[in-house]
Amino acid sequence: MGKPKVVLGVSGGIAAYKACELLRRLTESGHDVRVVPTASSLNFVGEATWAALSGNPASTEVWETVHEVPHVRIGQGADLVVVAPATADMLAKAAHGLADDLLTNTLLTARCPVVFAPAMHTEMWEHPATQENVATLRRRGAVVIEPAVGRLTGKDTGKGRLPDPEEIFEVCRQVLRRGVAAPDLAGRHVVISAGGTREPLDPVRFLGNRSSGKQGYALARTAVARGARVTLIAANTALADPAGVDVVRVGTAVQLREAVLKAASDADVVVMAAAVADFRPAEYAGGKIKKKDGEDPAPVALVRNPDVLAEISADRAREGQVVVGFAAETDDVLDNGRAKLRRKGCDLLVVNEVGETRTFGSEENEAIILSSDGSEIPVPYGPKEALAEAVWDQVTRRYMPRRA
């Protein structure tokens, strides 16, 4: 089997230079990449650069090498088309089926998955025309990644920045792995919590846990690749923001609760993958607690934190909302998981065994997905994204049939 064939479309925005890094990641990971830039994009990165980095010719016109019929053949032979950056003009052309250059012709002839990574000023992204074009493309099955928030050209800051090329690559990798399967979360809003909360004891100390947030981030990345709009509530993580994800950062369990309840108000699915502290110190010391010679430290009184999973399960923000919980257990894993599923009232509970050297901080995981209907689906040891895919498979098959 040959290398996967990827078409990298580059439209005329200042972020075109970042596509060089995306191209490097695609080629170094074993993909055969053909770059199809628009004429305007060559004002930012020249044709020679694309040809040298990809090892393939880069052209903009349908009239070059006409005998090869490039305006048809390039799209027909692709396993994936990714446009990064995708300007407002390119999104409009793609949505309305215009074909005035090689890239737009390629988009019309492609029968493979298509990913758009928009980049533009905030006002252009938020304009109703752009939003309608994005909705049209998503309805047709394209994956349109939400832009990142950050520094734009000049002094402007806002939503419209091209996501990190490494994270765009991760979306492409996920989409390629799924192949021609339709993005079954298209049109859905998914809220995911990740990481571990920290409960302050004094200005320098806290009660926390070992959660890295990697499983929650894997859930976010795979949801984007399946077409979802994703809000990620991140508690004390040190991971790069996944491409196309709105990230809300929190610290404590109380802050996480507030963020989840707000985001869940219009969510189709809420996945509580964060390790939320069950308790917090009853009192917060305004200054660093000092040790005193010859004296034992005073006991730390604890109070219960809100049970966010049970709360959102009992009081769904909208009819048909699906709630998925995670349970980290150290012993009697299945028995404790079954009891927790009944107690929490969620639809699915992902149960796994944890410890100092198991799961936390690892790239791998294994678990059993328990359902409220009594079924149990084991997920063997493997990458955390494989478990994430298994969770979304259960959500879509059981609760969210594809919209007509």
PDB file of all heavy atoms in Angstrom, residues 71-85:
ATOM      1  N   HIS A  71      -6.847  19.669 -13.000  1.00  0.00           N
ATOM      2  CA  HIS A  71      -7.996  20.202 -12.262  1.00  0.00           C
ATOM      3  C   HIS A  71      -8.958  19.093 -11.845  1.00  0.00           C
ATOM      4  O   HIS A  71      -9.796  19.293 -10.967  1.00  0.00           O
ATOM      5  CB  HIS A  71      -8.718  21.254 -13.100  1.00  0.00           C
ATOM      6  CG  HIS A  71      -9.498  20.721 -14.247  1.00  0.00           C
ATOM      7  ND1 HIS A  71      -8.899  20.184 -15.366  1.00  0.00           N
ATOM      8  CD2 HIS A  71     -10.836  20.633 -14.462  1.00  0.00           C
ATOM      9  CE1 HIS A  71      -9.820  19.800 -16.224  1.00  0.00           C
ATOM     10  NE2 HIS A  71     -11.010  20.045 -15.696  1.00  0.00           N
ATOM     11  N   VAL A  72      -8.814  17.919 -12.460  1.00  0.00           N
ATOM     12  CA  VAL A  72      -9.634  16.770 -12.089  1.00  0.00           C
ATOM     13  C   VAL A  72      -8.815  15.720 -11.352  1.00  0.00           C
ATOM     14  O   VAL A  72      -9.222  15.203 -10.309  1.00  0.00           O
ATOM     15  CB  VAL A  72     -10.272  16.137 -13.345  1.00  0.00           C
ATOM     16  CG1 VAL A  72     -10.998  14.842 -12.985  1.00  0.00           C
ATOM     17  CG2 VAL A  72     -11.234  17.119 -14.004  1.00  0.00           C
ATOM     18  N   ARG A  73      -7.639  15.416 -11.858  1.00  0.00           N
ATOM     19  CA  ARG A  73      -6.858  14.295 -11.346  1.00  0.00           C
ATOM     20  C   ARG A  73      -6.364  14.502  -9.919  1.00  0.00           C
ATOM     21  O   ARG A  73      -6.319  13.558  -9.129  1.00  0.00           O
ATOM     22  CB  ARG A  73      -5.656  14.029 -12.267  1.00  0.00           C
ATOM     23  CG  ARG A  73      -6.039  13.592 -13.662  1.00  0.00           C
ATOM     24  CD  ARG A  73      -6.554  12.173 -13.673  1.00  0.00           C
ATOM     25  NE  ARG A  73      -6.876  11.760 -15.038  1.00  0.00           N
ATOM     26  CZ  ARG A  73      -8.092  11.749 -15.548  1.00  0.00           C
ATOM     27  NH1 ARG A  73      -9.129  12.111 -14.792  1.00  0.00           N
ATOM     28  NH2 ARG A  73      -8.314  11.377 -16.794  1.00  0.00           N
ATOM     29  N   ILE A  74      -5.997  15.717  -9.567  1.00  0.00           N
ATOM     30  CA  ILE A  74      -5.441  15.944  -8.233  1.00  0.00           C
ATOM     31  C   ILE A  74      -6.470  15.618  -7.162  1.00  0.00           C
ATOM     32  O   ILE A  74      -6.183  14.905  -6.192  1.00  0.00           O
ATOM     33  CB  ILE A  74      -4.938  17.404  -8.088  1.00  0.00           C
ATOM     34  CG1 ILE A  74      -3.740  17.635  -9.020  1.00  0.00           C
ATOM     35  CG2 ILE A  74      -4.527  17.685  -6.634  1.00  0.00           C
ATOM     36  CD1 ILE A  74      -3.260  19.077  -9.044  1.00  0.00           C
ATOM     37  N   GLY A  75      -7.685  16.120  -7.314  1.00  0.00           N
ATOM     38  CA  GLY A  75      -8.729  15.845  -6.335  1.00  0.00           C
ATOM     39  C   GLY A  75      -9.161  14.401  -6.334  1.00  0.00           C
ATOM     40  O   GLY A  75      -9.412  13.799  -5.285  1.00  0.00           O
ATOM     41  N   GLN A  76      -9.252  13.800  -7.536  1.00  0.00           N
ATOM     42  CA  GLN A  76      -9.700  12.412  -7.636  1.00  0.00           C
ATOM     43  C   GLN A  76      -8.754  11.443  -6.932  1.00  0.00           C
ATOM     44  O   GLN A  76      -9.183  10.431  -6.381  1.00  0.00           O
ATOM     45  CB  GLN A  76      -9.818  12.001  -9.109  1.00  0.00           C
ATOM     46  CG  GLN A  76     -11.029  12.574  -9.824  1.00  0.00           C
ATOM     47  CD  GLN A  76     -11.069  12.145 -11.274  1.00  0.00           C
ATOM     48  OE1 GLN A  76     -10.039  11.857 -11.877  1.00  0.00           O
ATOM     49  NE2 GLN A  76     -12.274  12.110 -11.846  1.00  0.00           N
ATOM     50  N   GLY A  77      -7.470  11.750  -6.955  1.00  0.00           N
ATOM     51  CA  GLY A  77      -6.496  10.820  -6.403  1.00  0.00           C
ATOM     52  C   GLY A  77      -6.147  11.044  -4.945  1.00  0.00           C
ATOM     53  O   GLY A  77      -5.329  10.320  -4.382  1.00  0.00           O
ATOM     54  N   ALA A  78      -6.771  12.042  -4.309  1.00  0.00           N
ATOM     55  CA  ALA A  78      -6.384  12.397  -2.937  1.00  0.00           C
ATOM     56  C   ALA A  78      -7.098  11.540  -1.899  1.00  0.00           C
ATOM     57  O   ALA A  78      -8.249  11.138  -2.081  1.00  0.00           O
ATOM     58  CB  ALA A  78      -6.691  13.871  -2.685  1.00  0.00           C
ATOM     59  N   ASP A  79      -6.394  11.262  -0.801  1.00  0.00           N
ATOM     60  CA  ASP A  79      -7.000  10.625   0.369  1.00  0.00           C
ATOM     61  C   ASP A  79      -7.492  11.667   1.373  1.00  0.00           C
ATOM     62  O   ASP A  79      -8.322  11.378   2.230  1.00  0.00           O
ATOM     63  CB  ASP A  79      -5.988   9.707   1.056  1.00  0.00           C
ATOM     64  CG  ASP A  79      -5.558   8.555   0.156  1.00  0.00           C
ATOM     65  OD1 ASP A  79      -6.441   7.808  -0.301  1.00  0.00           O
ATOM     66  OD2 ASP A  79      -4.347   8.420  -0.102  1.00  0.00           O
ATOM     67  N   LEU A  80      -6.946  12.875   1.247  1.00  0.00           N
ATOM     68  CA  LEU A  80      -7.341  13.980   2.126  1.00  0.00           C
ATOM     69  C   LEU A  80      -6.975  15.280   1.443  1.00  0.00           C
ATOM     70  O   LEU A  80      -5.911  15.396   0.835  1.00  0.00           O
ATOM     71  CB  LEU A  80      -6.616  13.896   3.479  1.00  0.00           C
ATOM     72  CG  LEU A  80      -6.816  15.087   4.432  1.00  0.00           C
ATOM     73  CD1 LEU A  80      -8.220  15.084   5.011  1.00  0.00           C
ATOM     74  CD2 LEU A  80      -5.787  15.071   5.568  1.00  0.00           C
ATOM     75  N   VAL A  81      -7.864  16.260   1.553  1.00  0.00           N
ATOM     76  CA  VAL A  81      -7.556  17.629   1.155  1.00  0.00           C
ATOM     77  C   VAL A  81      -7.654  18.499   2.396  1.00  0.00           C
ATOM     78  O   VAL A  81      -8.686  18.474   3.090  1.00  0.00           O
ATOM     79  CB  VAL A  81      -8.511  18.151   0.066  1.00  0.00           C
ATOM     80  CG1 VAL A  81      -8.184  19.616  -0.258  1.00  0.00           C
ATOM     81  CG2 VAL A  81      -8.419  17.307  -1.199  1.00  0.00           C
ATOM     82  N   VAL A  82      -6.599  19.246   2.680  1.00  0.00           N
ATOM     83  CA  VAL A  82      -6.624  20.174   3.808  1.00  0.00           C
ATOM     84  C   VAL A  82      -6.245  21.550   3.294  1.00  0.00           C
ATOM     85  O   VAL A  82      -5.260  21.697   2.554  1.00  0.00           O
ATOM     86  CB  VAL A  82      -5.669  19.728   4.945  1.00  0.00           C
ATOM     87  CG1 VAL A  82      -4.258  19.465   4.446  1.00  0.00           C
ATOM     88  CG2 VAL A  82      -5.652  20.767   6.064  1.00  0.00           C
ATOM     89  N   VAL A  83      -7.044  22.549   3.632  1.00  0.00           N
ATOM     90  CA  VAL A  83      -6.780  23.926   3.220  1.00  0.00           C
ATOM     91  C   VAL A  83      -6.376  24.714   4.449  1.00  0.00           C
ATOM     92  O   VAL A  83      -7.177  24.908   5.369  1.00  0.00           O
ATOM     93  CB  VAL A  83      -8.009  24.563   2.548  1.00  0.00           C
ATOM     94  CG1 VAL A  83      -7.672  25.973   2.066  1.00  0.00           C
ATOM     95  CG2 VAL A  83      -8.489  23.705   1.386  1.00  0.00           C
ATOM     96  N   ALA A  84      -5.120  25.161   4.475  1.00  0.00           N
ATOM     97  CA  ALA A  84      -4.593  25.879   5.631  1.00  0.00           C
ATOM     98  C   ALA A  84      -3.530  26.885   5.164  1.00  0.00           C
ATOM     99  O   ALA A  84      -2.505  26.459   4.622  1.00  0.00           O
ATOM    100  CB  ALA A  84      -3.975  24.897   6.629  1.00  0.00           C
ATOM    101  N   PRO A  85      -3.769  28.158   5.338  1.00  0.00           N
ATOM    102  CA  PRO A  85      -4.984  28.738   5.893  1.00  0.00           C
ATOM    103  C   PRO A  85      -6.108  28.773   4.864  1.00  0.00           C
ATOM    104  O   PRO A  85      -5.864  28.823   3.661  1.00  0.00           O
ATOM    105  CB  PRO A  85      -4.545  30.157   6.267  1.00  0.00           C
ATOM    106  CG  PRO A  85      -3.486  30.485   5.246  1.00  0.00           C
ATOM    107  CD  PRO A  85      -2.746  29.190   5.009  1.00  0.00           C
TER     108      PRO A  85
END
